[in-house]
Structure formats: structure tokens, C-alpha cells
Amino acid sequence: MATTDVAPQGTGGQLGRKRIVNDMSIQVATVNGSGSQSSNTVLLRAIFQMGVPVSGKNLFPSNIAGLPTWYTIRANKDGYIGRKKEIDFLVAMNAETAQDDVMALAAGASVLYDEPLSLEKLRDDLIFYSVPYDKLVASVCPEAKLRKLVKNMVYVGVVAQLLTIDMGEVEKAIRKQFAAKVKAATLNLAAAQAGFDYAKASLQKRGVFYIERMDKTAGKIIIDGNSAAALGCMFAGCTVVTWYPITPSSSLVETMIDYMKEYRIGPDGKATFAIVQAEDELAAIGMVIGAGWAGARSMTATAGPGISLMSEFSGLAYYAEIPGVIWDIQRVGPSTGLPTRTSQGDILSTAFLSHGDTKNIMLIPCSAAECFSMASEAFNLAEQFQTLVFVMSDLDLGMNNWMSDPFEYPTTPIKRGKVLSKADLDKLGGFARYKDLDGDGVGYRTLPGTNHPAAAYFTRGSGHNDKSNYSERPDDYENNMERLNRKFESARSFVPRPEILKGANAKIGIIAYGTSHWGIIESRDQLRNEYAIETDYLRLRAYPFTREVHEFIEQHDRVYVVEQNRDAQMLSLLKLDLKPELTTRLRSISHLDGLPLDARSVTDELSTMEGK
């Protein structure tokens, strides 16, 4: 299996071309469980420390150790950090996939391979480098049982020599990776140095790709979206987390456990939080709703199969109007699908999750920084509108390494919404839980334990009137549902507004969301430079849609909605929201192979649809 679908282009290609500096895609093909993750992280960080913008994407199997895995590093001087469709430098360490990986490369690419594989016989239009890894690792690692793990660090040194990566930065990255294990750091550094020395003495560089120092990463960090989300939830005041492990969301809660243990232990040594692993996803969301009803800021994290299971409880929270936050780290479905591949396939189902008439607020981050900041926004909106708020991340964002500016310390106060205190009830004398007094559809609530005789009310998932009394009267039900819809409409003015980038008098618009953003940024430049196609771009950040979304579509002749699912799910939501005459302006570009969206795929499809 290969992770690109670029066919060979004949002899020549990049051979003999001038130097290409800080613009390449490096792919390492190994096997799961071989310890390559540490080596790949070291390689990524060494390039980052040289000031070159990078991103790292891990494509790993969903079942057992020993199966193929690929890690791709994108280095780009212009800051493009989306997946690149073409692979420029392949490190072939897996005999099972080596031939397919090599045959998928474009002409002129470089291949670094383990000597026994003899890959140089496959193609005459690639640059091959052969390395005797077993011999090199044996010279630095006397313990045979460790050689399999240390072997991967040898290719880091070879790549450093061939791409002119500073070995000082490699050492710095290794010592950071093994900060708590001095002996392991020393051993791995020796392996990397052995690879570097071998390449310097025995390999003649013939490729055109180079890494050189620049200054575009100063002050930035590398972090995955799930870690950023965990940090954001802690800063947002979350005190109850309930979950059931599922790829790719598990690391969000696992990281949050570490953060909370470090920063949320009281002076008496007792935890000021509760993190509970439930028996399944149904129990997890049930606990979220119970904690939200009791006044805690509560959340869970899951993926598509968990979202499906949470449908009935989601309806309870919507109808009984109980706040909570759900992180959906989307993966490929339906069913088990491809659990370690990325997707935007839960958009439509989550928007209307549950039976009956239901509409849910969704926030859609595109970066680690937004995973952090949208955590606070999600909890504030959940309490303001007394409903569940879904944060729609994905595997690419959640589990992969992203370059980011440091997160801004939150300064916005926590907003608890319409909560009545004892003092409020003393003044009012009482309240009607589900009555709309302010015209925004949101009623007032009290929290359990409020010391006032008028504080109590029944929380019902069955029919009720505005005083929360049981009712099956048609007018009570209709009034309640209309008020809930009015509440959803009010949310349009409070959810995060879209990001809009304008071109020069563009008649064509692009709408995208989430991690598709990074492919769109690069594709717009390709469309302009290669086809003279100017585009405007709107990045959706939330549902319900704000007025800017309608205005953007009105301003363009054609609008391409780019998303990572088969059925154009966001386009369907837009059609439901727009005036009928505007829906004919929408076009769909779908990407559904489970790999992160790349710019070239968007450029090729959009230019073809435009007749170029």
C-alpha cells in the first residue's frame, strides 16, 4: 500500500534540476511498534529548530503491531503545512510496502532504503541511497534486543547528512525527546551520529533537496490538537470529564488527566475535578448531562461511533435544556470504517443528532490554537444556551503534530448564563423554568442546592409547559419547540464568526472548514499562479451559520464547498439554510480517501470544473 497516488512520469523529472531549499515532503515507511515515532519526531523537531515551518502526519494501522505505518513531514519555507500529495524523499524501512512506495513516487524523488531491499532495480528515474542499517546499529548498540528500536535513529542521521540538517539540532531534539532518560538519549544520539558519519563518508548526494536555516518558527511551538484541546478545557473551568476510550479521541482525555493532576489539586491535596472512565459511550454522555444539570462544567470526548450511540441522550439534553460539551474527533466511517484515518463525516448527523426536531450547535477548529480557544467558547455557549455544544475536530488535527503560535492566556470571564441565585429568587419570588422572558428563547434555571423554596423544578425529557409541569397539550409542545428553535436562531449572533479572505474582484468563492483550511490556503495560490483563477475564501467556524455566510454566497457567481466526506454534508446544511435561489450557486468538491486533504487535489478538480 502506498500513501500517494502519483504515477511515475518517465525518466528525467527532477534529476539535474537546481537546488530546492526548504520545500519538500519526507515520508518514512516503517512498521507499527518499531519505535519509529521517536525517530520521526526528532527529525521533525530538528527541521523546526532550524526555523523551517513543518507539520507531521502519522498514518498508522488500526489493529496490531507489525503492520505498515507511514510518517510524513512537510517542510515548506512559505508556511504551507497541509499534506503534500507528492513525496520527494522516501525513507523505505518496511520490506512489505517498499516496492509499492517506490513505484508511487514521481520521477526525480530520492529513496533511502535498507540495503537488503535492493530497491535500486525497480526504477531508473529515481535517486537511490542504500544503507546497511544492521551493521551500523550493531556498532553502537551492544544489546541485541534494543537494536530494532535504535535502528530507526540511524536513518535520522543519514537524512540529516543528505538534506544538510544541522546535527547540533538533531542532538538537541534527541535530548528533548528522551529528557527523562539520559542513557537512552546517549544511545540514540550515537546511532544518529553513526548514520550521519556513514552518509558523509559513503553516500554521494545527488538529490536537489536541502534544508537551510531560516527564521520562520521563532517563538512557535509544536503540539497536537488533542493536547491543545485538553489544555483549553482545563482553562475553561471544566471539572467533570467522563469518557470511553476510542481512537482518535482517547489522547485528549489521557492528556487532560495529566494536566488536571498537575494543576487542579487543591491545597489539601485533594482533586478539584472528577475524570471517570465509563463502561460505554452512553454512560459517558449520561454522566455529562447529570453533571451539567448539577451545575458542573462537564464534557466527554469521542468519535463517530460514540456520537451515534449518544443520540438518545443528546435529545434529552436538547429538550430538557442541559449544558455540556462533546468533542468529536472525527474518523472515517460508517461503522468501524477506517478508525485511524481522518474525515469530516459526522457533520450532518451531529447537526441534527437525536430523533424528532433537534438542532445542535457545532464549533469547528482548524488548528491547535483554535482547539485551545474554542474550548472556552464551547463551555460558555453551552451554559449560555443551556444545550450541548459539539466541537468537531478530526484525526488529522487531533493526533498529528502542528506548528502553532503559543496560546493566548484566556482573559474572557467564564459565562454561566441565566442562573438564578437565592438573592435573585428573593427578589422575584419564583420563576418559570422554560419561559422566554428576553426574546432569545433561553429560559432561566437554578442549580440543585439553591437554598430557596422557589428554586426547585422538574427536569423533563417528556412533554412540559413553561413552568416545567408535565403536559401533552398540543399548544404547550408547539410553543416549547418554537422557543427551542428561537434559541438556536439566537445562537447565530454568538457562535464564532467565519474567517474571510478576499482576492481581487473574484467571482468564485470557496467555502471550507476544519483541517481542509490548510489545503485551501495553498490551493488558492496554485489556482492564481497556474490558471489565473482568483478566488475568495470563507472558512466556516461554527453552525448555525452567521449572516456573513449568506452574504458571501450572495456575492459570488459560483461557490465551491470543499469537505472531507462523500455526501457533501456541509453543502447540504448550507442548502437547508439558504434562500432557494442561492443554492444553485453551490458546487461540491469532496475528498474521501481518509488521507488529509492536499492542495493539488482541490486545484485539479476546481480548475477542471471551471473549464481550465
Side-chain angles (χ1 to χ4, degrees):
M1 173 183 174
T3 58
T4 84
D5 55 4
V6 181
Q9 299 175 352
T11 59
Q14 296 173 349
L15 296 174
R17 285 176 50 189
K18 64 180 182 180
R19 290 162 54 104
I20 299 175
V21 179
N22 297 340
D23 185 11
M24 69 192 73
S25 181
I26 306 166
Q27 185 172 87
V28 182
T30 57
V31 295
N32 197 36
S34 66
S36 59
Q37 186 68 17
S38 294
S39 302
N40 298 332
T41 301
V42 165
L43 192 56
L44 174 86
R45 189 168 291 279
I47 297 171
F48 171 78
Q49 290 164 181
M50 290 182 69
V52 183
V54 290
S55 64
K57 301 190 184 298
N58 190 24
L59 184 65
F60 58 100
S62 60
N63 37 29
I64 59 174
L67 292 182
T69 182
W70 295 265
Y71 189 84
T72 305
I73 297 172
R74 175 82 185 272
N76 183 265
K77 63 184 185 303
D78 298 314
Y80 299 136
I81 56 175
R83 185 176 74 91
K84 184 180 179 183
K85 192 171 187 178
E86 304 82 9
I87 299 301
D88 301 309
F89 194 107
L90 172 68
V91 181
M93 301 292 290
N94 184 3
E96 182 180 342
T97 68
Q99 291 195 17
D100 286 345
D101 290 335
V102 168
M103 297 308 296
L105 297 171
S110 296
V111 181
L112 175 63
Y113 67 94
D114 196 1
E115 188 175 62
L117 296 178
S118 301
L119 299 179
E120 74 282 355
K121 301 174 183 178
L122 296 176
R123 302 265 298 267
D124 62 3
D125 59 347
L126 302 176
I127 299 169
F128 289 94
Y129 301 101
S130 174
V131 176
Y133 288 107
D134 289 335
K135 179 180 177 181
L136 294 176
V137 74
S139 68
V140 298
C141 184
E143 297 183 49
K145 64 180 181 179
L146 291 179
R147 290 174 186 170
K148 179 182 177 182
L149 300 176
V150 179
K151 180 178 178 179
N152 290 310
M153 202 61 73
V154 176
Y155 69 66
V156 173
V158 178
V159 172
Q161 166 62 23
L162 293 175
L163 297 181
T164 64
I165 299 170
D166 190 333
M167 270 301 288
E169 300 297 351
V170 172
E171 177 178 358
K172 182 179 176 181
I174 288 174
R175 296 204 180 279
K176 182 177 180 65
Q177 183 71 21
F178 300 98
K181 302 175 182 178
V182 176
K183 185 178 179 180
T186 301
L187 179 60
N188 280 275
L189 180 57
Q193 189 65 53
F196 184 88
D197 293 343
Y198 175 84
K200 185 175 182 179
S202 306
L203 301 179
Q204 179 186 358
K205 180 176 174 60
R206 291 171 290 133
V208 297
F209 294 98
Y210 294 80
I211 296 293
E212 294 182 359
R213 285 194 181 275
M214 55 190 309
D215 60 355
K216 289 196 174 181
T217 64
K220 295 186 181 294
I221 62 173
I222 292 177
I223 191 171
D224 62 89
N226 281 354
S227 295
L231 195 62
C233 291
M234 183 180 70
F235 272 87
C238 178
T239 57
V240 176
V241 184
T242 62
W243 67 307
Y244 184 77
I246 182 172
T247 301
S249 71
S250 296
S251 63
L252 194 162
V253 180
E254 290 165 350
T255 304
M256 197 168 180
I257 291 171
D258 293 337
Y259 285 148
M260 298 290 262
K261 285 182 177 179
E262 184 170 358
Y263 299 109
R264 290 293 180 264
I265 301 297
D268 58 358
K270 295 182 179 179
T272 60
F273 61 91
I275 299 181
V276 180
Q277 181 175 326
E279 60 267 32
D280 53 35
E281 289 89 349
L282 286 82
I285 189 175
M287 294 177 190
V288 168
I289 293 170
W293 170 81
R297 287 200 151 187
S298 58
M299 59 162 280
T300 189
T302 189
I307 290 291
S308 297
L309 290 169
M310 293 176 181
S311 174
E312 185 174 1
F313 264 138
S314 173
L316 170 62
Y318 175 79
Y319 194 52
E321 300 179 62
I322 300 172
V325 171
I326 299 176
W327 286 80
D328 180 8
I329 317 301
Q330 298 171 87
R331 70 188 209 188
V332 173
S335 188
T336 303
L338 304 178
T340 59
R341 302 292 186 269
T342 195
S343 172
Q344 295 174 328
D346 300 343
I347 295 297
L348 193 58
S349 60
T350 303
F352 306 118
L353 190 66
S354 198
H355 52 278
D357 294 318
T358 311
K359 293 180 182 178
N360 295 309
I361 296 172
M362 299 187 295
L363 306 188
I364 315 173
C366 80
S367 65
E370 284 196 334
C371 285
F372 178 80
S373 63
M374 283 189 176
S376 290
E377 292 179 287
F379 281 102
N380 284 342
L381 287 167
E383 294 207 280
Q384 179 181 356
F385 291 99
Q386 301 170 19
T387 191
L388 295 180
V389 172
F390 294 82
V391 187
M392 309 299 289
S393 181
D394 60 37
L395 183 147
D396 182 25
L397 177 55
M399 295 193 69
N400 285 327
N401 291 315
W402 294 85
M403 189 176 69
S404 175
D405 289 323
F407 307 146
E408 295 184 9
Y409 195 92
T411 56
T412 303
I414 288 177
K415 301 174 182 177
R416 303 304 308 267
K418 298 181 179 181
V419 178
L420 297 174
S421 66
K422 178 181 184 300
D424 295 326
L425 292 171
D426 284 338
K427 295 177 183 178
L428 297 172
F431 78 110
R433 170 66 180 96
Y434 297 113
K435 188 174 183 63
D436 181 7
L437 296 175
D438 305 315
D440 58 1
V442 183
Y444 286 79
R445 65 177 176 137
T446 58
L447 301 180
T450 303
N451 186 20
H452 195 284
Y457 66 90
F458 281 101
T459 303
R460 298 185 186 276
S462 56
H464 49 265
N465 60 21
D466 59 8
K467 294 182 179 180
S468 75
N469 294 326
Y470 179 78
S471 173
E472 293 189 12
R473 289 171 55 100
D475 57 336
D476 283 338
Y477 178 77
E478 183 174 355
N479 289 338
N480 209 27
M481 294 304 292
E482 289 295 342
R483 181 183 58 77
L484 288 168
N485 191 60
R486 191 159 60 249
K487 181 168 75 169
F488 184 79
E489 290 298 316
S490 297
R492 292 182 190 270
S493 300
F494 293 90
V495 297
R497 300 193 118 61
E499 177 186 20
I500 301 175
L501 300 176
K502 293 283 189 176
N505 300 315
K507 296 182 179 180
I508 297 170
I510 297 175
I511 292 178
Y513 56 96
T515 51
S516 298
H517 170 71
W518 304 105
I520 301 301
I521 292 296
E522 187 175 358
S523 176
R524 291 182 70 228
D525 290 343
Q526 293 176 352
L527 289 165
R528 181 186 307 109
N529 297 334
E530 298 172 18
Y531 297 99
I533 297 177
E534 290 288 346
T535 62
D536 291 340
Y537 170 43
L538 181 145
R539 177 171 67 88
L540 293 167
R541 301 175 67 226
Y543 175 79
F545 306 122
T546 65
R547 56 178 175 77
E548 290 92 342
V549 179
H550 292 241
E551 293 170 354
F552 183 85
I553 296 171
E554 290 172 350
Q555 293 164 0
H556 296 87
D557 295 342
R558 292 175 300 285
V559 177
Y560 292 88
V561 184
V562 182
E563 46 192 317
Q564 299 179 60
N565 57 64
R566 184 192 68 184
D567 295 335
Q569 294 182 23
M570 188 65 79
L571 184 144
S572 297
L573 283 181
L574 287 166
K575 284 184 174 180
L576 290 172
D577 214 59
L578 293 170
K579 300 174 183 176
E581 59 268 24
L582 291 177
T583 61
T584 58
R585 303 186 186 190
L586 301 180
R587 311 284 188 273
S588 174
I589 295 180
S590 294
H591 180 85
L592 67 150
D593 61 5
L595 301 177
L597 179 73
D598 66 278
R600 180 55 57 186
S601 294
V602 177
T603 300
D604 289 348
E605 187 161 356
L606 194 151
S607 61
T608 299
M609 294 173 75
E610 285 294 311
K612 299 289 187 176

